[in-house]
Amino acid sequence: MKRKTISSVMCLTVAAAMALNMSACGQSAVSAGGSETVTEEAPSEKQSDKDEKNKEEAKEAKEPVDEKADDAQSAEDFDLYSALAGEDFELSSVNTYDSNYRTWIKFKEDGSFSGSFIKDYYVESADGQADGQADGSFTGKLGKCTQVDQYTWKADIEELTYDVSADVPKEYSSASGLEGYDNGSTEMTFHLPGKDVEALPGDVSSWLFGNDFGAYVGYDMDWVLDTPLDLPFYVVSTKDGCFSGRNVSGKNELCIINKAKLPGFINQELTINPDGTYTCIDADENGNIKFTNTCFEYNGFDVDVEECIKKIYGNIDYEYISIYGNGGENDEDEWIYKPDWKWLNGMKSKYAFWSVGENDNYVFYQGRFVSPYIDDGRYVFAYILEYHGAGKAVDAETASMALGSLSFSGRKDELSCAGLTAGQPYTELLIECIKGQGRSILGDEVEFVHEGETEKIEKYGLDPNAFYDDYQIGGYDGKFEEFELANQCPIYTQHAPDGLHRLLTLEEFNSYVPANDQDGSRLMNIVLDKDGKVILISEPYTP
């Protein structure tokens, strides 16, 4: 069967990265001391001469990135205690009864801290059984902090003093999460934004993600855990508990990233402002499919989608707009308002699609909008897909599914979803897929045959009267070829095994597809790079 090869022309690409190199307490840094802007435009064959002229003028006017200045920023001091001073910490609880055991902590730049706590209790007294509540406060002091790795620090509690009513029983007179201090357990561990969730100790992970960061999906309302890839906030842990930070400073530390790196995409713009807001624009090499990942100041948790669109694009004239998540009848349309668009790490997002223009100027948009409580509701995060025309490597359907593979993150150096294959020739195949060995899959190459394609109908011996959905599959011969997966290979499926995550790991995918052709197979689109390795797998929609 003749394979369809897509040739690509390498466009200018600029990568912008932020380094986080922590070497000792107070001597390493990540800095966004100034607005960092990197902008490159990918050419589009449909753009007018005026657009091309404007683009060239913008390139000429753009200030070059000062690499020496960037290096100087990465060498600035990082002061752990100063960073913690911008956070409010609250004890994470995993059990229902823990909701009555609450502890809050605030740190100061000199390493001192203060806080309050409540504990409900039930005791036997001389007059019989009685309920009570410990409502106390405390102050303390940390010693010198030491660095464990890039995202982990430790310090010992040197002082801890309580102010609690004398009638509170002794066993309820210390703050939950800090009880160990009286028994000699003085160590505090600080986990910084950006730390891989998988690198967290098991007890910290269970404390932190016990109740939040998930969603109820399906008719049976099954609970599906949806943790971020890395910590999007500061976390403090002791042997007795875990405290999650809520940013109350004037600077945004949070971002949204795509868990997939998309082949053929390049970064067109990356702007990170001094207040932590940002804009990242990625597009395929012809500018036909584009993602805008942005964060801007906002007031309140109830996101006005149209107001946000205006903030991002200015005044635009919609052909139409449909919004999901406003509590209207659209929210009952589960086919469109899919769980992986409705929830983002346990926080509800709004989804909208709209269009602008017509004919050659037609642009279709889909976007997700969320204002998370973990950032104190002061910012909106938007992730928007623009479809201008047919894409290469990543088609419109796969790009749409990529809206469901987002995660909150503490790593702004991962804002871009651009993969590493821009400018390469690609080969697209449609295969009947079964499980392979190691980092490989097995596929029998086939193709869609549509009604009226008489030569293909005859070639594959298809029934011309069996086109119930305007297509049949031709070319299946039971000969499965092995395809090796590249290190970066997003895998998207139409039907999420857990009802939420359609971006699968290879291990999950191997459970999704049959082990052999006797058990059937699953139809998959795959994209190969110049070396013949698979850089994208996506399941086509087949009604």
Side-chain angles (χ1 to χ4, degrees):
M1 181 179 297
K2 186 177 180 181
R3 295 183 174 181
K4 178 184 177 184
T5 300
I6 308 171
S7 299
S8 304
V9 178
M10 183 65 181
C11 302
L12 293 174
T13 177
V14 176
M18 298 175 61
L20 183 58
N21 297 315
M22 301 182 175
S23 58
C25 182
Q27 291 195 2
S28 61
V30 59
S31 174
S35 174
E36 177 185 1
T37 305
V38 181
T39 307
E40 290 291 348
E41 294 289 343
S44 171
E45 295 177 356
K46 294 184 178 181
Q47 290 177 317
S48 66
D49 293 339
K50 182 177 179 180
D51 290 336
E52 291 290 342
K53 181 179 178 181
N54 289 340
K55 184 171 64 180
E56 292 301 321
E57 289 174 352
K59 285 183 180 180
E60 293 173 3
K62 184 190 66 179
E63 295 182 3
V65 175
D66 188 343
E67 295 183 1
K68 292 183 178 180
D70 203 39
D71 290 339
Q73 287 180 5
S74 65
E76 291 176 3
D77 289 347
F78 173 77
D79 189 327
L80 174 65
Y81 294 156
S82 293
L84 296 176
E87 307 288 318
D88 280 354
F89 289 89
E90 181 175 358
L91 181 71
S92 297
S93 60
V94 297
N95 298 313
T96 303
Y97 66 83
D98 283 344
S99 62
N100 294 328
Y101 284 32
R102 310 286 296 278
T103 305
W104 299 267
I105 304 178
K106 281 180 173 289
F107 293 90
K108 294 184 179 179
E109 295 182 359
D110 62 358
S112 62
F113 60 90
S114 61
S116 60
F117 71 97
I118 59 172
K119 280 185 175 180
D120 288 350
Y121 60 86
Y122 185 69
V123 298
E124 290 188 14
S125 63
D127 299 329
Q129 297 175 335
D131 294 332
Q133 184 181 77
D135 187 353
S137 62
F138 56 87
T139 58
K141 175 74 175 178
L142 295 174
K144 183 180 179 180
C145 59
T146 57
Q147 184 183 17
V148 179
D149 57 42
Q150 186 178 13
Y151 295 105
T152 312
W153 298 69
K154 289 183 182 292
D156 283 326
I157 303 173
E158 293 184 342
E159 301 173 13
L160 182 58
T161 304
Y162 286 97
D163 182 6
V164 185
S165 175
D167 60 355
V168 173
K170 181 175 175 54
E171 62 267 33
Y172 297 100
S173 61
S174 58
S176 293
L178 301 177
E179 298 96 336
Y181 177 79
D182 292 333
N183 299 319
S185 179
T186 63
E187 187 175 80
M188 268 189 174
T189 303
F190 303 89
H191 310 275
L192 274 57
K195 182 171 183 173
D196 287 338
V197 167
E198 291 184 354
L200 290 170
D203 54 351
V204 173
S205 184
S206 62
W207 280 326
L208 193 61
F209 303 120
N211 284 332
D212 296 328
F213 302 96
Y216 290 103
V217 299
Y219 294 108
D220 296 329
M221 298 299 286
D222 295 320
W223 175 260
V224 176
L225 199 61
D226 183 24
T227 58
L229 289 179
D230 62 84
L231 284 180
F233 44 74
Y234 284 88
V235 171
V236 179
S237 64
T238 68
K239 69 176 287 290
D240 302 296
C242 172
F243 301 82
S244 56
R246 182 170 60 89
N247 178 18
V248 293
S249 72
K251 181 177 179 180
N252 171 55
E253 298 165 340
L254 192 63
C255 65
I256 285 179
I257 63 172
N258 203 311
K259 291 184 283 188
K261 297 296 184 183
L262 300 176
F265 273 65
I266 60 174
N267 179 241
Q268 290 188 326
E269 177 186 334
L270 178 58
T271 301
I272 302 174
N273 301 309
D275 64 356
T277 58
Y278 60 83
T279 296
C280 177
I281 299 176
D282 299 312
D284 69 355
E285 296 162 24
N286 288 332
N288 287 336
I289 298 178
K290 181 184 295 186
F291 287 102
T292 297
N293 178 8
T294 188
C295 165
F296 49 87
E297 286 189 89
Y298 196 78
N299 183 22
F301 295 104
D302 189 16
V303 177
D304 185 325
V305 170
E306 292 189 84
E307 180 183 331
C308 293
I309 293 172
K310 184 177 180 180
K311 178 88 172 177
I312 299 167
Y313 294 102
N315 292 317
I316 60 175
D317 185 17
Y318 315 118
E319 289 295 315
Y320 62 86
I321 182 169
S322 293
I323 301 172
Y324 297 77
N326 278 341
E329 61 181 14
N330 283 346
D331 295 2
E332 299 175 7
D333 188 349
E334 287 292 340
W335 189 87
I336 295 179
Y337 194 27
K338 298 180 177 68
D340 51 340
W341 292 351
K342 184 184 299 183
W343 299 100
L344 180 52
N345 299 145
M347 280 160 274
K348 204 162 189 177
S349 69
K350 293 188 178 182
Y351 164 76
F353 63 85
W354 65 98
S355 69
V356 175
E358 57 185 14
N359 300 326
D360 289 344
N361 296 319
Y362 177 83
V363 183
F364 178 75
Y365 297 81
Q366 297 180 76
R368 297 182 65 186
F369 306 82
V370 60
S371 180
Y373 69 85
I374 56 177
D375 212 15
D376 214 24
R378 297 189 313 274
Y379 301 94
V380 160
F381 297 81
Y383 206 98
I384 300 173
L385 163 66
E386 299 178 27
Y387 179 76
H388 297 256
K392 296 181 177 180
V394 176
D395 59 17
E397 185 176 34
T398 305
S400 180
M401 286 194 284
L403 285 176
S405 55
L406 307 182
S407 173
F408 282 115
S409 172
R411 297 182 182 177
K412 288 194 172 76
D413 58 336
E414 293 291 332
L415 281 170
S416 174
C417 68
L420 303 176
T421 59
Q424 295 184 10
Y426 308 112
T427 302
E428 283 185 318
L429 299 178
L430 180 68
I431 63 170
E432 291 285 358
C433 184
I434 59 176
K435 178 182 176 180
Q437 297 292 324
R439 287 195 58 81
S440 69
I441 58 174
L442 298 176
D444 183 0
E445 189 176 348
V446 295
E447 67 176 316
F448 284 110
V449 179
H450 298 282
E451 196 169 6
E453 294 181 326
T454 54
E455 290 185 6
K456 291 183 179 180
I457 292 172
E458 293 178 2
K459 176 181 177 181
Y460 297 122
L462 303 177
D463 182 353
N465 298 314
F467 286 90
Y468 301 109
D469 288 300
D470 192 38
Y471 75 91
Q472 293 187 60
I473 303 298
Y476 184 83
D477 58 12
K479 297 178 181 179
F480 286 84
E481 180 182 352
E482 184 176 24
F483 296 93
E484 182 182 354
L485 272 61
N487 290 332
Q488 284 188 3
C489 181
I491 303 173
Y492 288 103
T493 59
Q494 290 285 347
H495 309 287
D498 61 9
L500 182 64
H501 302 112
R502 289 185 294 161
L503 177 69
L504 305 187
T505 64
L506 179 57
E507 181 180 6
E508 291 167 336
F509 183 71
N510 283 337
S511 298
Y512 184 72
V513 297
N516 54 68
D517 59 338
Q518 283 76 33
D519 297 328
S521 57
R522 284 192 180 270
L523 197 64
M524 295 288 163
N525 287 314
I526 63 173
V527 179
L528 309 180
D529 65 10
K530 60 182 179 61
D531 299 319
K533 291 187 176 181
V534 183
I535 54 176
L536 177 67
I537 301 174
S538 62
E539 185 174 20
Y541 174 65
T542 51

